[in-house]
Amino acid sequence: MAAVLAIAFTAFGYQLRPLLHQQAASHSVGSDDPTPTPVVSGVVPEGYLGSWTATITNAVGKNTRSLVIKQGRVGDDVLILVADGPTTGDTYHCVFTAPLSAAPSSGDRLELGPSTLTSGTPAASCSPGKASTLTLTSDKALRRTSDNGDTITYTRSR
């Protein structure tokens, strides 16, 4: 009987797999590999769109940051950030989103509102960030500067 139930549950799960993948593709905020979801129109300049990565080293070790900038309008979540790294006895994995707070006037800066935590393990290691500004640098990198002055420079990953 247990073998029959195991086979039935496996077959049922296999049938649900395409549906689950379809739903995951439409909302990638909780995934480990953030992928921009298409938006028909928006105000984010083309040069910002896509995936970016950075590494931060601190006393505990290397911490990675992967972010995706997707198309959107003012008020839409256009930034998805995944932060991973070591803690003093474990690791953390945090996913954040941030909305576009103003339409870019000259195309050289994107103003983002404060970030919101969408998932995190352990949650105590994941603190939402302040509002920030994104700027493309002359060497094709992306600089994110928080309102508190912290700056991280990202390189395009794809």
Side-chain angles (χ1 to χ4, degrees), residues 8-106:
F9 281 121
T10 302
F12 182 72
Y14 184 76
Q15 293 298 320
L16 284 178
R17 189 169 186 233
L19 178 63
L20 294 174
H21 284 286
Q22 183 179 20
Q23 289 175 342
S26 67
H27 185 42
S28 62
V29 172
S31 74
D32 288 340
D33 182 22
T35 309
T37 51
V39 172
V40 175
S41 65
V43 297
V44 177
E46 184 73 26
Y48 288 89
L49 300 175
S51 299
W52 304 83
T53 57
T55 302
I56 304 165
T57 303
N58 61 19
V60 183
K62 287 188 177 185
N63 302 261
T64 60
R65 301 289 184 268
S66 300
L67 67 83
V68 170
I69 306 297
K70 60 183 189 167
Q71 192 56 266
R73 298 180 192 99
V74 174
D76 291 344
D77 284 333
V78 297
L79 178 137
I80 302 168
L81 171 67
V82 177
D84 292 298
T87 62
T88 53
D90 204 0
T91 60
Y92 66 89
H93 175 79
C94 311
V95 180
F96 303 92
T97 59
L100 184 63
S101 61
S105 58
S106 64

